[in-house]
Amino acid sequence: MPLALYALTAGAFGIGVTEFVIMGLLIDVGKDLGVSISAAGLLISGYAFGVVLGAPLLGIATAKLPKKPLLLALMVVFTLGNAACALAPDYWTLMAARVVTAFAHATFFGVGSVVATSVVAADKKATAIAVMFTGLTAANILGVPFGTWLGQHYGWRSTFWAVTLIGFVALAVIQFLVPRRLPADAATNEDGSSLAVLVRPAVLVGLAVTVLSWIGIFGAFTYIAPLLTEVAGFPETAVSPILLVFGGGLLVGNLLGGKLADKRLTATVIGTLAVLALTLVAMAAAIHQQIAAVIFVGLLGAVGFATVAPLQLWVLGKAGDGGQSLVSSFNIAAFNLGNALGAWLLGLVIDHGPGLAAVPLFAALSPVLALAIATVAIRREQRQALVPMEAAAARC
């Protein structure tokens, strides 16, 4: 694989740590800032909404800019934002800093996806996207457990200082490994002033499927620490090691999803959504037994990230010849809108519904709906593809 892909992976690692590490620190942040677990969970929603807001603002404004300088500028925003998080004196300042940090997220991964697919052969596009997103899986395997441990022993602010340092490292790697001239710079014919591509029915369907699937994934994962401690009965010190299991699942699922999508894209989209829904339903029972809980934490990571490359490539394919960076950025925003809604909706289940133990079961509802929508959309596309073939056969 080209070195540029691994530079993107480094940036993805830094962004992945700052997005996910807060989940292992919800209890610590809540205690220090005097807010409830569900209120601390909204820091995840705030970050996700920052991603959603950043996608249109930065995606449109930067659509025609050269890709390498753009990637570097986005990492600067990310790095300064994490420093602001570390210095935040109260809950709302931390929330604002999280939102600002998140502005870089969607455009970085959106542009990164286009760059990744432009530097590899046509039959390796999903794998290239998966390689970039391996940075997120590495963040969960290494960064999040270490960040959780660091925050528990030296205060949650130390974790954000560590992430700031990661941002500087990612900047250096991108500077040295990403070439100044990229195929994506020459190939793009996007019009940053137009949103027409985003109102195509096929694109809207793809974005909706992404949102719904990740409501379920993040609805469960947001509250993984209290699920493990208050439902499964693990001590708080066990959360960090168990997150390693989740990270291992991410790595396997991410790469497997990319390889399967390169072979049969639509079948992989349907299959991963179906397995995700089944995993969440089974996890509702498994979370009450410690061994089963650990196993299903790993399975959630695997099936959750197995959806990433297929969904990203599926939506990219609906953008046509133009607008790929913009659609790609919006699909990253769709992932994070799902994150935000998942944290909020499952917070309601905790505060006003059946309670914490019911989170995985309720989280399964949205992937079921995503599966239904994707199945209908794919069957419709297949029927439409058959019409010209049937017409040609009739003329013969």
Side-chain angles (χ1 to χ4, degrees):
M1 288 288 179
L3 289 178
L5 282 181
Y6 298 104
L8 296 173
T9 301
F13 177 82
I15 292 175
V17 173
T18 200
E19 179 178 19
F20 296 129
V21 76
I22 192 70
M23 297 170 189
L25 299 173
L26 285 184
I27 297 171
D28 302 89
V29 172
K31 288 179 181 177
D32 185 52
L33 299 181
V35 298
S36 66
I37 289 176
S38 58
L42 290 178
L43 291 168
I44 299 165
S45 297
Y47 183 95
F49 279 121
V51 176
V52 174
L53 185 60
L57 292 179
L58 294 183
I60 295 170
T62 63
K64 290 189 173 183
L65 294 180
K67 299 300 183 280
K68 180 176 178 176
L70 176 55
L71 290 171
L72 290 170
L74 294 169
M75 287 307 301
V76 169
V77 173
F78 161 83
T79 303
L80 295 178
N82 275 288
C85 289
L87 294 169
D90 53 44
Y91 175 80
W92 288 110
T93 305
L94 177 59
M95 176 69 80
R98 291 276 292 171
V99 171
V100 171
T101 305
F103 266 51
H105 185 122
T107 305
F108 181 90
F109 281 109
V111 173
S113 294
V114 174
V115 171
T117 56
S118 75
V119 296
V120 297
D123 62 346
K124 299 292 184 182
K125 291 183 181 295
T127 300
I129 292 173
V131 168
M132 179 183 68
F133 277 96
T134 300
L136 288 181
T137 65
N140 282 276
I141 294 171
L142 301 174
V144 171
F146 175 73
T148 300
W149 176 87
L150 187 67
Q152 289 173 346
H153 287 80
Y154 298 99
W156 61 268
R157 296 178 191 277
S158 64
T159 300
F160 282 100
W161 283 121
V163 177
T164 302
L165 178 60
I166 293 171
F168 282 112
V169 173
L171 272 168
V173 173
I174 292 171
Q175 173 64 31
F176 284 112
L177 296 184
V178 175
R180 188 171 64 178
R181 296 181 182 274
L182 290 161
D185 292 326
T188 185
N189 60 352
E190 300 178 40
D191 182 358
S193 65
S194 174
L195 292 174
V197 68
L198 296 173
V199 298
R200 293 179 185 173
V203 171
L204 293 175
V205 167
L207 295 176
V209 169
T210 298
V211 171
L212 289 168
S213 62
W214 277 68
I215 285 175
I217 295 167
F218 255 70
F221 186 50
T222 294
Y223 301 102
I224 198 67
L227 278 169
L228 290 171
T229 56
E230 297 180 27
V231 179
F234 286 101
E236 187 176 334
T237 54
V239 173
S240 181
I242 294 173
L243 288 177
L244 286 171
V245 178
F246 182 83
L250 295 186
L251 179 61
V252 174
N254 179 52
L255 295 175
L256 181 61
K259 289 185 179 297
L260 291 175
D262 277 328
K263 295 178 180 179
R264 298 184 64 187
L265 177 58
T266 56
T268 303
V269 169
I270 296 298
T272 53
L273 291 175
V275 175
L276 171 61
L278 291 172
T279 299
L280 286 168
V281 170
M283 189 175 179
I287 198 67
H288 295 276
Q289 301 175 343
Q290 289 190 345
I291 294 177
V294 174
I295 292 171
F296 271 84
V297 166
L299 286 175
L300 178 63
V303 299
F305 261 66
T307 67
V308 173
L311 287 174
Q312 186 73 350
L313 188 60
W314 190 47
V315 175
L316 268 175
K318 300 180 185 306
D321 295 331
Q324 287 204 341
S325 288
L326 192 58
V327 169
S328 181
S329 296
F330 268 75
N331 199 48
I332 298 298
F335 281 115
N336 284 270
L337 179 58
N339 299 351
L341 293 175
W344 174 62
L345 291 172
L346 274 299
L348 295 179
V349 171
I350 295 171
D351 291 340
H352 304 292
L356 184 62
V359 162
L361 186 60
F362 276 77
L365 297 176
S366 58
V368 170
L369 182 55
L371 175 62
I373 293 172
T375 301
V376 171
I378 288 171
R379 287 180 177 174
R380 183 176 299 169
E381 290 171 358
Q382 291 172 342
R383 287 196 300 268
Q384 291 174 345
L386 286 174
V387 171
M389 296 173 62
E390 293 172 348
R395 286 195 298 268
C396 293

